[in-house]
Amino acid sequence: MESSWFTTDQIDKDTFVISEYRHWEETHCYLLTGKERGLLIDTGLGISDIYGEVMRLTDKPVTAAVTHTHWDHIGGLKYFPDFYCHMAEQEWISGKFPLPVEKVRQMVSDCDKLPEGFRADDYDIFQGKPTKLLEDYEEIDLGRRKITVLHTPGHSPGHMCFWEKERGYLFTGDLVYQGTLYADYPSTDPQAYLASLEKIAVLPVERIFPGHHSLDIRPELMVRMRDELRKIDKSGRLKHGSGLFEYGDWAVRL
Ligand SMILES: [Zn+2]
Ligand SMILES: [Zn+2]
């Protein structure tokens, strides 16, 4: 299913992925619906109306939850007054995001073809007040469908993965995707990154759903990432400034 900006695919009868392939970040958002309500995991760049896209897929009320509060995941929060983020990033979402808006506007406009009527110069970083701050191992109940919050810092201090044990689904945000992982800028934490990979790599994951790029990835990717980060740690280089480490289908910048 393709609308002008988003590409939507169905994962199973009540799970959807909404992608922004026309932007180089290839951001993915996921809609999970239960008996009572829906959960939108991440909200994308915010340069086209993701709310309209979500409403085509469900008639239930939808809460948004962001894996972390980087601009490319919170853009659509403006359409969702009911949204959750992790307590460690509450400040970022209320005006203290450590990146100037000009920089973000540049990244926004680096794009195949922006939606009609959209002007990158008018783009603003979302700011707002979450209806709830999430904590590690908290459960989000959608009505006969339960999602567990896993605090997985490293990429950012309040990064979370969302775990649906019953289906073996792990939504990994920017902690695990195929491509270059970032643990080099000041708000990242390479040691925490490894600890988070240790935490998720032992889960009985059937399918991984990343925040960016290829959807065709298997759970063994996060195990390989954990193993390589362990090796980097053993060599004493799991810290900022160690440079780029490449492994074929993925890399990590420290
Ligand atoms: Zn990010
Ligand atoms: Zn991202």
Side-chain angles (χ1 to χ4, degrees), residues 25 67-73 92 97 155-156 159 173-175 177 182 185 212:
E25 290 219 25
T67 55
H68 62 303
T69 62
H70 283 161
W71 72 275
D72 50 326
H73 299 255
W92 281 7
F97 188 68
H155 174 79
S156 71
H159 189 284
D174 281 7
L175 189 77
Y177 55 75
Y182 295 97
Y185 34 86
H212 298 281

Side-chain angles (χ1 to χ4, degrees), residues 132-200:
K132 188 179 173 55
L133 294 171
L134 296 174
E135 287 179 63
D136 205 11
Y137 295 111
E138 186 162 348
E139 228 166 47
I140 301 172
D141 193 346
L142 307 178
R144 297 204 201 145
R145 191 170 187 188
K146 286 195 172 104
I147 312 299
T148 306
V149 171
L150 299 174
H151 183 212
T152 50
H155 174 79
S156 71
H159 189 284
M160 296 174 284
C161 291
F162 294 95
W163 168 231
E164 184 172 14
K165 191 177 169 200
E166 199 155 308
R167 300 183 197 200
Y169 290 175
L170 184 66
F171 300 87
T172 55
D174 281 7
L175 189 77
V176 170
Y177 55 75
Q178 197 168 61
T180 302
L181 306 177
Y182 295 97
D184 58 331
Y185 34 86
S187 53
T188 62
D189 180 339
Q191 290 291 333
Y193 212 116
L194 173 56
S196 293
L197 287 171
E198 297 281 3
K199 184 172 178 169
I200 60 168

Side-chain angles (χ1 to χ4, degrees), residues 11-179:
I11 293 164
D12 61 29
K13 71 176 197 328
D14 43 18
T15 312
F16 302 86
V17 51
I18 303 170
S19 309
E20 299 183 275
Y21 287 118
R22 278 164 53 184
H23 190 267
W24 59 274
E25 290 219 25
E26 300 179 320
T27 301
H28 304 297
C29 306
Y30 299 91
L31 177 68
L32 287 58
T33 57
K35 223 61 211 123
E36 311 293 333
R37 60 175 177 145
L39 180 71
L40 181 66
I41 298 176
D42 284 336
T43 62
L45 309 176
I47 69 181
S48 190
D49 178 11
I50 195 169
Y51 183 76
E53 196 63 19
V54 167
M55 288 302 114
R56 296 200 305 138
L57 304 169
T58 183
D59 52 9
K60 305 222 162 71
V62 174
T63 301
V66 289
T67 55
H68 62 303
T69 62
H70 283 161
W71 72 275
D72 50 326
H73 299 255
I74 64 171
L77 284 180
K78 60 187 170 197
Y79 305 108
F80 294 89
D82 180 23
F83 79 88
Y84 306 162
C85 74
H86 190 270
M87 52 203 314
E89 289 180 22
Q90 192 185 4
E91 285 207 330
W92 281 7
I93 205 128
S94 45
K96 297 198 176 132
F97 188 68
L99 200 60
V101 70
E102 291 74 26
K103 187 102 207 259
V104 173
R105 284 176 185 160
Q106 250 170 38
M107 290 193 277
V108 165
S109 56
D110 186 3
C111 183
D112 232 14
K113 187 167 157 277
L114 286 163
E116 214 159 296
F118 176 82
R119 278 168 38 90
D121 287 346
D122 298 335
Y123 186 89
D124 271 321
I125 302 171
F126 172 82
Q127 290 170 23
K129 195 175 175 337
T131 44
K132 188 179 173 55
L133 294 171
L134 296 174
E135 287 179 63
D136 205 11
Y137 295 111
E138 186 162 348
E139 228 166 47
I140 301 172
D141 193 346
L142 307 178
R144 297 204 201 145
R145 191 170 187 188
K146 286 195 172 104
I147 312 299
T148 306
V149 171
L150 299 174
H151 183 212
T152 50
H155 174 79
S156 71
H159 189 284
M160 296 174 284
C161 291
F162 294 95
W163 168 231
E164 184 172 14
K165 191 177 169 200
E166 199 155 308
R167 300 183 197 200
Y169 290 175
L170 184 66
F171 300 87
T172 55
D174 281 7
L175 189 77
V176 170
Y177 55 75
Q178 197 168 61

